Amino acid sequence: MVISVLVEISFNNKEKTFDYLVPKNLEDKIEIGKRVLVPFGKQNLEGFIIDIKKNSEYDLKEITSIIDEEPILNEELLNLGKELKKDLVCNLISIYQAMLPSGYKASAKTNINVKKEKYVKLANIKEAQEFITTSKAQKQIEVVEDLLKNKISLKSKYQSNIIKVLKDKELVIEEEKEKYRLDNSYKIEPLLKLNEYQEGAINQIENSKKDVILLNGVTGSGKTEIYMHLINKQISLGKTAIMLVPEISLTPQIINRFKVHFGNKIAVFHSALSESEKYDEYRKIRRGEVSIVIGARSAIYAPLKNIGIIIIDEEHSSTYKQEHNPRYNAIDVAIIRGKYHNAKVVLGSATPQIESYARGKKGYYELVSLTKRANNASLPKVTIVDMKNEVKKGNSLFSEILIEKMREKLENNEQVILFLNRRGFSSYQLCSSCGEVIKCPNCDITLTYHKTSGMNRCHYCGYAEKKKDICPKCKNESLKDFGQGTEKVEEEIKKIFQSYRTVRMDIDTTTKKGAHEKIINSFLNHEYDILVGTQMIAKGLDFPLVSLVGVINADTILNFPDFRSSERTYQMLSQVSGRAGRGNIKGDVIIQTFNPDNYSIELSKTHNYVDFFNKEIKIRKDLKYPPYYFISLIKIGSKDYNLSLSESKKIANYIKENISEDMIVLGPSVAGVSRVNKIYYFQIIIKFRNKEKMREILNNVSDLENNNKVSISIDINPC
Ligand code: ADP
Ligand code: ZN
């Protein structure tokens, strides 16, 4: 027998499969989709069996061993990989690897195994019954009686010396059983009864002829409840479901709602799970022991069979796009899998991506809207504060009205969330005599000062150094802290509201496993009055006692040089303000900004996404951005600045020579962050309408590059 193996090696980005001989004794274990180890040069490489042949005309080497007991990728996933490759300009094997949980990769040196537990049971019932009546050994009798009652029990339940005696007497035999590390057996609670709007939405979804549904519902409109009902329906039909959430560790509340309804039917993929736990969850799925998979981006590859529905919550979230190879977007993957299984794909959001909503309006997607909050809660009142006026009054961090409102709510025994988009104490150190800004030696980016550790840190490469006292350029002791971070806000708030309890949530306070959940739960239990945090607190959280959300600086995203910056700002503001007034108390939102007239800030006042969409879509059309044009981003990097630049020019010229009329090439230009980790980056942006033609050009670009001192990354549809 001969097999074709796709190995983990590539030549000039061209994929290679190699044929190998299978020794006779392994032949009946060979199946497409299993991984094997094969000799390659002097080493052994891992590869996927992608074809089985009778024989070959060449003289072949034998495979070394078979890695998997069962095929790790089924036919659907193998074909899905080929389909995705067309749009991703990367190696097929890297796509296959991305489909597996990290512990499955050959490169992962962790020692993952199946956890086993020892059980005991009776060897023979008759003999056991006889033993109870004849024996005088009371302790042994008790064990045998217990086993007569329970049939099989954990060995650890009994004294080991007694079990040993009973084993010697051949009354009891031992058995090992697999144990999953995570147990999702919860007390099951029924689903909520849906309100009429939710019912209407479900009817529209279930009766739709379209493959993809866009569920556009304001924050708190009860989308999660709708997801659960939709899934419930599919389960009752004997089907399975995938539900994606942006970052699972940030959404413990949603996960919990699912667990108390679906219990052991769920497998959860959590970034905080250990490799072994992931391995167990994955096996549960492969064996068909669960019918619902909840997880972040990569859970879209869950090897479920018979999928009935795929749900993507907060579909606008950029976390669904992988930012390194393979640069897949989980929504695209969902749509392909949905087609295969004849399952609907439901995209949910209060603030959908502009492209998604445009597709909904055009009728490519079924557009379902919910404009009211579920439990009769009203949407919060939003006030926009012009910080230019506040700075004149000497209030650089907090406006008068924010402090006033905070006091009012806190005195009422209600809770407050303060949101800002930066962690750390102050954004950077700046010299007030010469204007020098302290930057990372590896990257073209300012260092962020962290007060707790007294360090300046680079948020790109992780570089850290002690805070500087003297300006490295003019040698004066005139360095000042500029900007504002979560740590600074926390410190100032603690000074102003001394008698209230403040907690901070950002990457720095949540590095330990379970830290997110701990902060969220203690805030939920009203152990704190004020929560200061970054994006992390914007997503999906439901705190009934929060009646005020303050956005310290709404401009941080707006100032990014990116065509999505308005969209991102609007989404962020809606998400954050969605945390206010979810319970019985009315909510207030205060947005501090230096750009009060910007439409993405101004329109967040009315909670009307459609107004924002209508404004934004015009701009996209005028400036030739998505959804009118596709965009691709090519990044060229090298430690050698001149080489990076000359390669970029070479690539840009190639593209310009080959483009068709409806394509626009911009660049090469210096990348947004021009130097990261001592590598100089240039970028080329291509706007285009014809995907097929673009694919061809981009594939050629990736072949063009054969200098190993230069790296190229190609991102079709960057997020
Ligand atoms: P979304 O996901 O759209 O932000 P949620 O599903 O989290 O909204 O619902 C918001 C709140 O309303 C939650 O506290 C939820 O328990 C409640 N809720 C949702 N649907 C119903 C319903 N049909 N009856 C009562 N309460 C509901
Ligand atoms: Zn750096």
Side-chain angles (χ1 to χ4, degrees):
M1 184 194 265
V2 171
I3 54 175
S4 295
V5 180
L6 178 67
V7 291
E8 202 171 356
I9 199 160
S10 66
F11 302 97
N12 295 338
N13 286 322
K14 281 276 177 276
E15 213 90 40
K16 278 262 180 180
T17 57
F18 295 91
D19 287 354
Y20 286 90
L21 266 178
V22 180
K24 266 265 167 309
N25 62 330
L26 292 180
E27 273 188 3
D28 50 341
K29 287 207 175 126
I30 292 292
E31 274 181 86
I32 289 178
K34 283 186 180 179
R35 289 168 306 166
V36 286
L37 272 184
V38 293
F40 196 91
K42 287 201 174 87
Q43 48 180 339
N44 265 317
L45 286 181
E46 185 187 308
F48 290 84
I49 306 176
I50 56 163
D51 200 8
I52 302 175
K53 306 169 175 175
K54 285 232 162 57
N55 44 38
S56 163
E57 52 196 287
Y58 303 108
D59 194 17
L60 298 173
K61 286 186 185 166
E62 281 192 347
I63 63 166
T64 311
S65 61
I66 304 178
I67 298 174
D68 303 309
E69 289 281 319
E70 301 150 62
I72 192 145
L73 292 176
N74 60 27
E75 201 188 324
E76 188 217 340
L77 294 175
L78 288 168
N79 287 332
L80 173 66
K82 290 177 195 157
E83 181 80 24
L84 287 172
K85 184 178 154 55
K86 290 187 199 157
D87 267 335
L88 291 178
V89 201
C90 68
N91 294 324
L92 184 58
I93 194 149
S94 71
I95 299 174
Y96 288 157
Q97 298 285 21
M99 292 179 174
L100 305 176
S102 44
Y104 273 94
K105 282 165 201 137
S107 49
K109 291 272 176 330
T110 42
N111 205 357
I112 295 179
N113 51 19
V114 173
K115 191 171 171 184
K116 295 203 168 134
E117 277 181 325
K118 288 189 173 142
Y119 285 80
V120 284
K121 63 179 188 186
L122 296 168
N124 181 310
I125 305 283
K126 260 205 184 126
E127 281 171 25
Q129 281 162 342
E130 218 177 283
F131 175 78
I132 323 179
T133 48
T134 54
S135 168
K136 295 221 165 50
Q138 196 49 42
K139 281 191 171 167
Q140 294 174 30
I141 292 175
E142 274 169 25
V143 172
V144 173
E145 277 180 335
D146 195 65
L147 284 173
L148 273 168
K149 205 166 73 204
N150 293 318
K151 299 212 166 55
I152 185 159
S153 291
L154 270 175
K155 186 184 174 191
S156 55
K157 189 173 164 191
Y158 313 107
Q159 276 173 279
S160 55
N161 57 333
I162 297 182
I163 294 294
K164 184 164 186 314
V165 175
L166 289 171
K167 263 172 69 182
D168 291 345
K169 290 183 180 167
E170 291 182 359
L171 277 165
V172 160
I173 45 178
E174 215 176 278
E175 207 171 74
E176 267 191 341
K177 278 199 187 182
E178 253 183 61
K179 177 172 165 53
Y180 294 127
R181 291 162 179 91
L182 292 178
D183 183 10
N184 285 331
S185 37
Y186 283 76
K187 199 174 135 265
I188 304 295
E189 289 170 18
L191 296 173
L192 292 177
K193 193 173 156 2
L194 299 180
N195 64 35
E196 56 179 309
Y197 305 105
Q198 290 169 315
E199 285 285 0
I202 293 218
N203 281 336
Q204 197 187 339
I205 293 169
E206 286 181 342
N207 295 326
S208 170
K209 299 252 176 335
K210 313 241 159 76
D211 302 330
V212 183
I213 317 285
L214 179 64
L215 176 60
N216 175 212
V218 295
T219 53
S221 55
K223 295 186 289 298
T224 313
E225 212 59 40
I226 291 177
Y227 303 151
M228 290 197 288
H229 279 259
L230 289 169
I231 290 175
N232 207 35
K233 175 84 172 282
Q234 294 303 320
I235 305 282
S236 70
L237 296 171
K239 301 213 170 183
T240 63
I242 298 179
M243 156 108 172
L244 296 189
V245 293
E247 276 160 276
I248 208 153
S249 56
L250 306 185
T251 41
Q253 287 181 309
I254 293 183
I255 307 302
N256 226 35
R257 275 163 78 183
F258 270 78
K259 279 182 180 167
V260 299
H261 289 301
F262 298 111
N264 255 334
K265 293 199 193 95
I266 301 184
V268 180
F269 272 103
H270 205 287
S271 54
L273 293 186
S274 70
E275 298 292 343
S276 313
E277 287 166 341
K278 277 186 197 154
Y279 177 73
D280 279 2
E281 294 296 282
Y282 200 70
R283 276 184 312 134
K284 284 185 200 167
I285 301 169
R286 288 229 327 257
R287 293 174 171 180
E289 293 171 0
V290 292
S291 8
I292 307 167
V293 173
I294 305 184
R297 181 176 61 228
S298 63
I300 196 59
Y301 296 118
L304 282 170
K305 299 199 182 83
N306 205 6
I307 297 174
I309 193 161
I310 302 175
I311 292 170
I312 299 180
D313 189 26
E314 313 281 9
E315 68 94 36
H316 61 276
S317 167
S318 57
T319 61
Y320 291 127
K321 175 77 193 281
Q322 179 152 295
E323 288 201 42
H324 51 85
N325 266 339
R327 297 171 186 272
Y328 70 92
N329 189 324
I331 296 179
D332 300 333
V333 182
I335 293 172
I336 300 174
R337 291 201 78 184
K339 280 221 177 78
Y340 177 90
H341 288 274
N342 205 4
K344 289 210 164 73
V345 175
V346 177
L347 309 175
S349 175
T351 52
Q353 299 177 73
I354 293 293
E355 289 98 311
S356 301
Y357 197 82
R359 277 177 208 137
K361 272 189 76 169
K362 281 230 155 176
Y364 299 130
Y365 295 170
E366 179 85 31
L367 185 56
V368 181
S369 303
L370 288 169
T371 51
K372 289 202 167 55
R373 280 192 161 174
N375 43 8
N376 279 327
S378 49
L379 285 156
K381 177 172 180 288
V382 179
T383 308
I384 293 170
V385 182
D386 187 346
M387 286 305 282
K388 293 195 290 286
N389 301 333
E390 294 293 322
V391 168
K392 282 181 207 144
K393 289 187 245 168
N395 306 325
S396 61
L397 212 47
F398 310 117
S399 58
E400 264 166 24
I401 179 164
L402 179 61
I403 296 295
E404 199 178 293
K405 275 273 174 214
M406 280 181 77
R407 193 156 278 139
E408 181 190 315
K409 304 289 181 184
L410 293 168
E411 278 167 9
N412 248 341
N413 212 17
E414 292 161 10
Q415 289 176 299
V416 175
I417 291 180
L418 293 182
F419 170 87
L420 78 168
N421 212 11
R422 280 204 198 105
R423 61 189 168 108
F425 188 75
S426 67
S427 282
Y428 51 93
Q429 287 191 280
L430 182 140
C431 176
S432 58
S433 341
C434 75
E436 174 82 353
V437 174
I438 306 299
K439 284 191 170 182
C440 175
N442 308 321
C443 311
D444 178 38
I445 201 99
T446 47
L447 292 174
T448 302
Y449 173 49
H450 290 246
K451 194 179 188 196
T452 327
S453 53
M455 302 292 268
N456 280 332
R457 281 181 202 285
C458 172
H459 289 185
Y460 273 77
C461 74
Y463 170 86
E465 63 176 32
K466 275 228 144 355
K467 183 192 182 191
K468 288 199 173 9
D469 299 319
I470 297 167
C471 173
K473 196 169 169 204
C474 70
K475 312 286 177 214
N476 282 318
E477 279 185 50
S478 45
L479 287 169
K480 293 245 154 52
D481 303 339
F482 269 82
Q484 15 177 268
T486 38
E487 235 181 302
K488 170 99 173 173
V489 166
E490 182 194 20
E491 188 181 284
E492 294 298 317
I493 281 295
K494 280 183 168 163
K495 279 188 211 152
I496 302 172
F497 295 102
Q498 281 172 8
S499 55
Y500 294 97
R501 302 153 301 175
T502 302
V503 63
R504 171 164 61 98
M505 182 154 141
D506 55 26
I507 299 187
D508 303 315
T509 63
T510 52
T511 43
K512 282 207 198 88
K513 188 173 171 172
H516 288 112
E517 227 169 328
K518 216 168 140 197
I519 297 178
I520 289 169
N521 283 333
S522 56
F523 189 63
L524 197 62
N525 293 335
H526 209 170
E527 289 161 36
Y528 294 97
D529 305 293
I530 305 165
L531 172 63
V532 177
T534 53
Q535 281 92 315
M536 257 182 213
I537 59 176
K539 285 179 188 137
L541 297 171
D542 202 350
F543 301 114
L545 277 180
V546 171
S547 60
L548 174 66
V549 169
V551 178
I552 301 299
N553 182 352
D555 310 312
T556 43
I557 303 181
L558 204 56
N559 296 334
F560 255 71
D562 178 348
F563 76 93
R564 281 188 222 274
S565 59
S566 300
E567 180 182 359
R568 290 267 149 75
T569 299
Y570 182 81
Q571 284 163 346
M572 183 266 285
L573 292 176
S574 306
Q575 290 296 321
V576 188
S577 36
R579 300 315 112 214
R582 291 175 74 93
N584 298 323
I585 34 183
K586 247 189 97 42
D588 275 292
V589 175
I590 291 177
I591 297 175
Q592 304 189 149
T593 173
F594 288 93
N595 302 285
D597 302 328
N598 182 287
Y599 65 100
S600 60
I601 292 178
E602 202 178 6
L603 289 173
S604 66
K605 245 172 128 160
T606 50
H607 310 283
N608 190 338
Y609 170 78
V610 180
D611 287 348
F612 173 76
F613 174 84
N614 289 335
K615 182 101 190 169
E616 178 72 13
I617 195 82
K618 285 204 189 82
I619 297 171
R620 298 286 181 91
K621 187 169 187 184
D622 289 348
L623 300 180
K624 297 195 165 76
Y625 277 121
Y628 296 96
Y629 275 74
F630 294 109
I631 285 206
S632 275
L633 175 71
I634 303 176
K635 261 194 181 175
I636 300 98
S638 174
K639 287 200 168 162
D640 179 341
Y641 178 90
N642 290 321
L643 185 61
S644 191
L645 178 60
S646 62
E647 287 297 310
S648 306
K649 283 183 178 158
K650 191 171 98 189
I651 291 169
N653 286 339
Y654 171 81
I655 299 169
K656 281 172 190 164
E657 281 161 20
N658 287 282
I659 53 171
S660 48
E661 262 171 32
D662 59 355
M663 292 184 184
I664 301 162
V665 183
L666 305 171
S669 60
V670 177
V673 180
S674 64
R675 194 168 62 118
V676 178
N677 246 334
K678 296 190 174 136
I679 296 175
Y680 293 90
Y681 286 100
F682 287 87
Q683 66 183 28
I684 301 164
I685 293 172
I686 310 161
K687 296 180 179 178
F688 60 100
R689 302 187 74 137
N690 181 337
K691 244 183 162 173
E692 294 297 324
K693 171 86 180 153
M694 197 64 231
R695 260 183 205 162
E696 193 189 307
I697 294 183
L698 291 177
N699 271 306
N700 291 342
V701 165
S702 85
D703 293 345
L704 211 65
E705 189 46 67
N706 46 21
N707 188 333
N708 61 11
K709 292 202 172 76
V710 181
S711 70
I712 299 190
S713 76
I714 298 175
D715 197 344
I716 306 191
N717 290 328
C719 247

